Amino acid sequence: MVARNNPFTPGFGQVPPFMAGRRYVIENIDDAFTNGPGDPNLTTIFTGARGTGKTTLLTLLADHAEEKGWVSARVSSVPGMLEDILQQAERSAANLLKSPTRVRLNSVGIGGVASLGWEYTNQTGADPNWRTRLTKLLDELESHGSGLVITIDELQSDFDEMVQVASVYQHLIAEGRRVSLLMAGLPYQVSRILNDRSISFLRRAARHHLTRIADDDIRTALLETIEGGGRSITDDALGTAVEAIDGFPFMMQLVGYRMWTQADNGTIDLPAARRGIGAAQYEMRTNILETTYMELSDGDLAFVEAMLPDEGPSSTSEIARRMGKSTGYAAQYRRRLLEEGVIGERGRGKVGFELPGWRTFIAEKLEDGF
Ligand SMILES: Nc1ncnc2c1ncn2[C@@H]1O[C@H](COP(=O)(O)OP(=O)(O)OP(=O)(O)O)[C@@H](O)[C@H]1O
Ligand SMILES: [Mg+2]
């Protein structure tokens, strides 16, 4: 049998060959890159639990922007971010120059950008020159019809450099500049940031909360990835895999990756799928479920425990009754767990678990007495 490269991408932030779902978000932001200044989607915040695909989306969208002639600066919220934005932008501008198919800018202009000669300071926090330097870069880009997309991953509250970016960005938008700011973070971090008065401007950003992906979309992407990679899968194996993935993007990559290696003669049949799923479940547990569990408070756990007797979705008032508390008390944990991505809404007043394998995992933990 010919060994074929595994097409699945279970690494964090890797853009898969076939994205499941997320179609509208991607389209809306792609359109914003075409429309340019004034399109509200140019300023967007993604939130979602671990492994829902925030980093992947930022990378994918920045790639799309570059294909449309924008320059991108891709950073995370860590000290040195301001400087990093300028350096990344410069690098992206230089790359644009190197790939002739993508160039919409003329080389003279790019040469100008690349040779602006940034002074790399070690300064973190407020840098009075930062706005000037960024503006200079934008002037250069804009004179050649290009703009700058800044992506900021892993948003953190209480981060001075973010305050600086937000305040400068606000001015740039007011000036009608060709800039875009796409951000991503865990829901509770983002809520904290948006409550910070010094960056309240970001409250007006478009927001997308990434939740589970529809089974049909998972099925299609799984099939396309397997067939695109040169192997096949039987119907029953595909059905079983979709069920185990339970709409969770990271799990799709884990299951796909492990099933792929189990395929005999290039076909993934039911036994191969089951073996792959078993391996994926183990990894899901160590990567996502354990980490999430460690972050839960006693109150969160009590809420989760009160959901376990229900096979399907649980009603919030019933959960409160089981906890022996008021609905107001239960509601505060409901909100926290929604933000952590542990539970999701299932229609009026009902919630269900969002993480694949969570029910079994947590039942075992509780049996062990935490
Ligand atoms: N729409 C999608 N379809 C299929 N796979 C996806 C999709 N989005 C992301 N993935 C895959 O899911 C995994 C997790 O993605 P990613 O690292 O972007 O998540 P994240 O939300 O940034 O997680 P974290 O909060 O831990 O940083 C990766 O293996 C990625 O390839
Ligand atoms: Mg990430």
Side-chain angles (χ1 to χ4, degrees):
M1 192 178 73
V2 191
R4 288 186 184 268
N5 286 340
N6 198 319
F8 288 94
T9 54
F12 281 90
Q14 267 180 286
V15 178
F18 294 93
M19 289 282 284
R22 313 287 189 232
R23 212 167 299 120
Y24 298 113
V25 183
I26 297 171
E27 270 172 28
N28 282 343
I29 298 178
D30 280 350
D31 284 349
F33 294 142
T34 306
N35 296 339
D39 192 308
N41 290 319
L42 288 174
T43 314
T44 293
I45 303 183
F46 296 108
T47 52
R50 291 213 166 67
T52 48
K54 301 179 291 297
T55 304
T56 303
L57 265 185
L58 289 183
T59 308
L60 182 88
L61 292 167
D63 287 348
H64 286 186
E66 288 192 353
E67 281 160 21
K68 290 182 189 239
W70 293 66
V71 155
S72 77
R74 310 167 187 207
V75 303
S76 291
S77 299
V78 288
M81 177 176 86
L82 293 176
E83 202 55 44
D84 207 19
I85 290 173
L86 295 174
Q87 290 190 26
Q88 293 284 328
E90 189 188 343
R91 218 182 54 177
S92 166
N95 279 345
L96 209 65
L97 176 66
K98 270 191 250 143
S99 57
T101 50
R102 282 187 176 182
V103 181
R104 298 260 171 89
L105 313 170
N106 77 38
S107 53
V108 180
I110 284 294
V113 172
S115 64
L116 281 176
W118 314 117
E119 286 167 28
Y120 299 128
T121 60
N122 288 325
Q123 252 177 304
T124 55
D127 173 355
N129 292 320
W130 194 73
R131 180 174 172 190
T132 315
R133 290 157 72 201
L134 188 64
T135 305
K136 215 161 145 190
L137 169 70
L138 290 172
D139 283 342
E140 196 73 45
L141 291 175
E142 278 171 34
S143 67
H144 299 283
S146 181
L148 176 67
V149 180
I150 302 172
T151 69
I152 304 181
D153 201 2
E154 291 171 37
L155 289 178
Q156 308 271 355
S157 46
D158 296 328
F159 182 50
D160 287 348
E161 291 185 52
M162 190 64 217
V163 177
Q164 174 95 351
V165 170
S167 110
V168 169
Y169 183 76
Q170 181 171 12
H171 287 294
L172 296 174
I173 289 290
E175 291 165 11
R177 295 276 182 177
R178 216 173 166 76
V179 282
S180 164
L181 182 59
L182 308 179
M183 296 153 282
L186 294 167
Y188 66 94
Q189 291 282 9
V190 172
S191 327
R192 271 193 228 155
I193 291 176
L194 298 182
N195 287 331
D196 185 335
R197 290 185 56 196
S198 49
I199 30 185
S200 58
F201 158 73
L202 290 182
R203 262 180 242 154
R204 277 182 268 150
R207 292 193 54 184
H208 292 283
H209 183 59
L210 305 177
T211 51
R212 73 188 299 284
I213 293 173
D215 284 350
D216 280 349
D217 290 332
I218 295 280
R219 182 188 307 271
T220 308
L222 203 53
L223 193 60
E224 281 173 334
T225 313
I226 293 167
E227 293 183 347
R231 289 190 176 171
S232 58
I233 181 165
T234 60
D235 278 350
D236 51 356
L238 185 61
T240 307
V242 170
E243 202 177 307
I245 290 165
D246 200 9
F248 197 71
F250 181 48
M251 189 63 170
M252 174 185 149
Q253 299 304 327
L254 284 176
V255 167
Y257 191 85
R258 293 297 166 201
M259 290 196 310
W260 178 268
T261 61
Q262 298 289 334
D264 295 321
N265 302 318
T267 298
I268 302 166
D269 57 11
L270 190 57
R274 290 214 171 110
R275 288 193 299 273
I277 290 166
Q281 280 167 340
Y282 176 80
E283 288 167 300
M284 176 71 195
R285 207 181 163 110
T286 50
N287 276 303
I288 305 274
L289 304 186
E290 288 283 359
T291 326
T292 306
Y293 171 73
M294 299 300 286
E295 286 166 354
L296 299 185
S297 69
D298 288 349
D300 295 336
L301 280 171
F303 189 101
V304 165
E305 188 174 9
M307 287 172 69
L308 289 178
D310 303 309
E311 287 281 313
S314 309
S315 103
T316 312
S317 52
E318 181 59 21
I319 294 170
R321 200 188 57 75
R322 288 180 192 151
M323 290 171 82
K325 303 283 185 189
S326 68
T327 37
Y329 177 91
Q332 100 195 39
Y333 292 101
R334 178 177 178 276
R335 185 172 43 77
R336 279 173 51 97
L337 290 163
L338 279 169
E339 290 209 331
E340 302 251 9
V342 173
I343 62 172
E345 280 165 345
R346 301 282 185 274
R348 242 184 133 72
K350 297 212 162 173
V351 289
F353 292 126
E354 288 279 287
L355 302 169
W358 178 261
R359 178 181 289 277
T360 324
F361 168 80
I362 206 70
E364 279 172 29
K365 282 278 180 201
L366 292 167
E367 239 169 59
D368 297 347
F370 295 175

